[in-house]
Amino acid sequence: MNLLAMDSPLMRFFARVGDIILLNLIFVVTSLPMVTIGASLSALYAVAMKLVRGEEPSVWKEYLKAWKGNFKTATLCWLIMTAAAGLLVLDFRLAGAFAGAAYTAVRLVLAMALGIWMLIFLYLFPYIARFENTVFHSIKNALLLNGAHLPSSLMMLGISLGFLVLTFYTSETFVIGTVLWTFAGFALMAWVQSFLLCRVFANYEK
């Protein structure tokens, strides 16, 4: 076998690495305005799922197509999720005003709310990337998918948290992680999660 042939496993591996790096750099650049992160996340997962399905898309063209096509819905969802996260942070800070059993009860409720927020976030932008729907139904369906596919949801949550824990484990891993996130981390995580997402979404595609 000629390892340098274009269709060899080695060359396909390097081609995939190149796709992931390019996808990540585009994602980082288009996310810089902050308000566009929702559209960028939906485009990131749109391309990542195509790569997993073996469609071999043009990363740049497919990304921009998905970014523009999902911009309105994804941006509104991003703003809603950001506002919800802000409220949760504020509520956690205000919970300090309670004491005893009341403090424990409030923290428990807020922890449950945070868990629901995280589960919705897991599926929301991949869902927008794959299906066309309203903002309300996108958020609702993102939550329902967690209940219907709990094992996959927990695995994706574990992947996300694992990437973050490894990044913040020490000051050294933080420096290394920052570099890796800039050049490949976001796309790599989306690509790994897309193996699970494609399997889940296949149950609802016509």
Side-chain angles (χ1 to χ4, degrees):
M1 179 184 293
N2 184 359
L3 294 178
L4 298 181
M6 293 302 297
D7 60 345
S8 69
L10 181 63
M11 295 305 292
R12 288 200 299 269
F13 169 78
F14 283 125
R16 181 63 72 243
V17 171
D19 288 336
I20 289 173
I21 292 174
L22 176 59
L23 177 59
N24 198 83
L25 291 175
I26 300 172
F27 169 77
V28 170
V29 171
T30 57
S31 296
L32 289 177
M34 300 299 288
V35 73
T36 60
I37 290 178
S40 298
L41 281 169
S42 67
L44 174 70
Y45 280 97
V47 177
M49 286 188 284
K50 283 182 177 291
L51 292 173
V52 166
R53 290 195 300 269
E55 297 182 20
E56 303 301 332
S58 167
V59 172
W60 175 256
K61 291 181 180 179
E62 288 295 333
Y63 185 95
L64 290 182
K65 178 182 177 182
W67 196 88
K68 294 176 182 177
N70 298 321
F71 185 84
K72 182 178 179 180
T73 301
T75 300
L76 288 173
C77 285
W78 168 250
L79 293 175
I80 291 171
M81 295 299 289
T82 302
L87 286 174
L88 282 171
V89 171
L90 179 61
D91 288 340
F92 270 107
R93 294 179 65 87
L94 294 176
F98 294 89
Y103 173 78
T104 301
V106 170
R107 296 278 291 189
L108 180 60
V109 171
L110 291 175
M112 292 174 60
L114 176 60
I116 293 173
W117 184 94
M118 293 174 65
L119 291 174
I120 291 175
F121 198 91
L122 271 180
Y123 278 103
L124 183 55
F125 298 101
Y127 177 87
I128 293 171
R130 193 63 184 157
F131 302 101
E132 185 174 346
N133 218 321
T134 63
V135 170
F136 172 77
H137 284 95
S138 294
I139 295 174
K140 182 190 73 172
N141 290 338
L143 180 59
L144 293 176
L145 283 169
N146 281 283
H149 304 277
L150 187 58
S152 294
S153 302
L154 293 177
M155 289 178 67
M156 285 194 293
L157 182 60
I159 292 168
S160 301
L161 294 178
F163 271 72
L164 291 175
V165 169
L166 288 174
T167 300
F168 292 97
Y169 189 68
T170 66
S171 57
E172 289 80 7
T173 60
F174 178 76
V175 173
I176 297 172
T178 300
V179 175
L180 292 177
W181 280 109
T182 301
F183 289 97
F186 296 104
L188 178 61
M189 184 172 68
W191 181 73
V192 173
Q193 290 178 329
S194 289
F195 285 93
L196 294 167
L197 289 166
C198 287
R199 186 174 66 183
V200 169
F201 290 159
N203 295 290
Y204 308 98
E205 294 167 345
K206 296 181 180 179

